[in-house]
Amino acid sequence: MKERIVLAYSGGLDTSVAIGWIADATGAEVIAVAVDVGQGGEDLDVIRQRALDCGAVEAYVADARDEFARDYCMPALKANGMYQGKYPLVSSLSRPVIVSHLVAAAHEYGASTVAHGCTGKGNDQVRFEVGITSIAPELTCIAPVRDLALTRDKAIEYAQKRDLPIETTKNNPFSIDQNVWGRAIETGFLEDIWNAPTKDIYSYTDDPAFPPVPDEVVITFAQGVPVALDGVSVTPLEAIEQMNRRAGAHGIGRIDMVEDRLVGIKSREVYEAPGAVALIEAHRELEAVTIEREQARFKREVEQRWGELVYDGLWSSPLKRSLDAFVDDTQQHVNGDIRMVLHGGRATVTGRRSTTGLYDFALATYDEGDTFDQSAARGFIEIFGLSAKQAAARDQRVGEA
Ligand code: ARG
């Protein structure tokens, strides 16, 4: 029996050519795997047929949007996942769900190798390969663009020579990666980091300079996950999609940054993630009401590390698993409603309500009904400040001598 290779297939030029390119270079049979994570564009059936027309022996297609929202975006929301405090991990989150389908397809079709179309300069090659070996250490990975020298010019030449059913003339100046959680835009004139993004690069967001009338939304959370919008029950996917539309209409979640790639390169990326940014803001505010102070302080450190692990392709690593257990434990009481106004590029929380919160009106109030014992504060401060006071007194003594 011939060796079999599963290929992460997008339906685009590079991976369409890769089917024959890999078969020629290795003598293996190629199985194309296409996973819908909300990237839009063509229908899965069209993509399946193209894969077969380009020479794949089988095509595995999966609509993974619900799975992606529930098992990847929701953990990111619970962790308030933001790389370098800004980037909601859009591409980093989709690679692990694609990986899980690649591995499932490899097992189903008896393949020993997984191929992907990434170049050798980005994070995604790491996320695919480390992701695969972290759940299926017996599989081998190849990257035709990187390892089999499949350049764009060669891809066009190959597609024309073999008469493959794929567009070879369209050349988008940008490299775009999009899914349910957001959209990443890079390359082209954005590589000059002084150049401002132009309006035409955006698609999930409208210009925040000309917003429609303010939109007020009430988001209901249960254990850290949105379960209703304005009182109407939603699935995780519906929550994200509806917030993408509503926050997107106000230009919320546009991010322009220079980020540190794992491979050592600083790169300019523009993102738009209206739903993710609004949901994270709402979630953070509900946590402020429901999570105990020390747990909340520690969680902020965990969140940063969680985001770095996910960015670095370590979704299935032991440390990430341990941090997930911590994050899940903190979400037990993150229940209640957040009222938020979406307007002019900002998602602003204006109200919070929780039956499992720690906000105590009687302790907080400066009006009638105060139950806080102010006389206890004096002794507390005396002892709390004692070591700093001792050190200051010592510094004075030493300075005088
Ligand atoms: N820099 C981001 C990341 O590494 C996004 C990369 C996605 N690719 C793209 N073609 N824009 O997660």
Side-chain angles (χ1 to χ4, degrees):
M1 205 176 98
K2 270 192 168 180
E3 199 208 326
R4 296 186 135 190
I5 295 178
V6 294
L7 166 69
Y9 183 63
S10 69
L13 173 67
D14 288 352
T15 54
S16 292
V17 167
I19 295 171
W21 197 265
I22 292 170
D24 294 350
T26 64
E29 291 179 335
V30 176
I31 293 133
V33 175
V35 183
D36 185 359
V37 287
Q39 61 269 47
E42 295 172 312
D43 200 78
L44 279 183
D45 287 329
V46 173
I47 293 178
R48 174 206 296 276
Q49 194 52 51
R50 182 171 311 127
L52 297 172
D53 292 344
C54 289
V57 295
E58 304 272 1
Y60 167 114
V61 298
D63 177 353
R65 286 173 300 166
D66 276 300
E67 177 190 6
F68 177 56
R70 185 186 62 235
D71 300 337
Y72 298 82
C73 302
M74 292 301 107
L77 177 59
K78 292 192 242 180
N80 299 317
M82 289 273 188
Y83 182 63
Q84 293 183 326
K86 286 178 89 168
Y87 165 44
L89 297 168
V90 176
S91 303
S92 348
L93 289 171
S94 74
R95 298 316 183 250
V97 68
I98 298 169
V99 160
S100 84
H101 284 275
L102 286 167
V103 169
H107 290 156
E108 187 177 328
Y109 293 105
S112 56
T113 301
V114 178
H116 62 77
C118 303
T119 70
K121 291 179 74 172
N123 297 311
D124 289 329
Q125 53 174 341
V126 183
R127 295 172 186 148
F128 275 119
E129 295 180 32
V130 174
I132 285 158
T133 46
S134 313
I135 58 175
E138 71 283 3
L139 296 177
T140 314
C141 295
I142 59 167
V145 173
R146 183 193 67 197
D147 305 337
L148 303 176
L150 175 59
T151 61
R152 194 171 171 88
D153 287 342
K154 285 187 194 158
I156 293 171
E157 195 190 309
Y158 187 98
Q160 284 167 347
K161 205 169 66 207
R162 304 272 175 120
D163 213 11
L164 297 183
I166 175 88
E167 183 83 63
T168 55
T169 49
K170 249 198 304 195
N171 197 1
N172 192 320
F174 302 112
S175 163
I176 293 168
D177 183 48
Q178 68 185 48
N179 61 52
V180 168
W181 201 233
R183 192 161 171 271
I185 309 120
E186 64 177 332
T187 73
F189 76 89
L190 294 170
E191 284 176 354
D192 179 339
I193 62 177
W194 182 248
N195 284 343
T198 48
K199 291 183 194 319
D200 60 303
I201 69 169
Y202 298 108
S203 107
Y204 282 15
T205 54
D206 292 328
D207 191 342
F210 307 100
V213 293
D215 181 11
E216 191 177 87
V217 58
V218 175
I219 307 170
T220 305
F221 287 88
Q223 303 201 315
V225 168
V227 293
L229 295 181
D230 294 324
V232 180
S233 295
V234 285
T235 63
L237 178 62
E238 289 165 344
I240 301 165
E241 287 181 337
Q242 289 179 28
M243 289 305 292
N244 273 341
R245 276 195 292 279
R246 291 174 70 168
H250 286 273
I252 290 159
R254 289 186 174 183
I255 299 147
D256 177 356
M257 69 188 284
V258 172
E259 75 191 31
D260 284 309
R261 283 191 197 161
L262 179 57
V263 295
I265 300 169
K266 283 193 185 289
S267 74
R268 194 326 170 55
E269 285 273 8
V270 175
Y271 300 104
E272 41 178 358
V277 164
L279 286 168
I280 290 173
E281 180 64 20
H283 177 257
R284 278 201 175 119
E285 195 58 29
L286 187 59
E287 287 192 327
V289 177
T290 53
I291 298 191
E292 184 271 335
R293 183 189 62 197
E294 294 308 312
Q295 204 179 24
R297 287 180 173 175
F298 192 72
K299 181 168 185 283
R300 283 190 276 274
E301 293 172 36
V302 170
E303 286 172 355
Q304 187 184 329
R305 203 66 194 90
W306 192 95
E308 288 164 354
L309 290 172
V310 172
Y311 185 88
D312 290 349
L314 296 170
W315 178 269
S316 299
S317 65
L319 178 57
K320 154 73 169 41
R321 211 178 308 137
S322 302
L323 298 189
D324 277 334
F326 169 81
V327 169
D328 276 338
D329 185 62
T330 64
Q331 300 300 291
Q332 205 180 333
H333 301 298
V334 184
N335 308 316
D337 297 330
I338 289 293
R339 190 181 58 233
M340 181 170 238
V341 173
L342 311 172
H343 191 61
R346 293 184 63 91
T348 310
V349 172
T350 60
R352 48 299 261 166
R353 180 162 67 186
S354 174
T355 53
T356 49
L358 295 166
Y359 179 80
D360 185 337
F361 180 87
L363 281 178
T365 188
Y366 283 97
D367 294 334
E368 288 302 296
D370 183 5
T371 59
F372 185 82
D373 177 6
Q374 297 202 31
S375 68
R378 210 175 140 172
F380 166 72
I381 295 166
E382 184 76 29
I383 293 170
F384 179 72
L386 186 58
S387 78
K389 185 178 174 183
Q390 291 286 95
R394 185 267 321 269
D395 292 350
Q396 266 178 3
R397 236 176 22 244
V398 171
E400 275 160 20

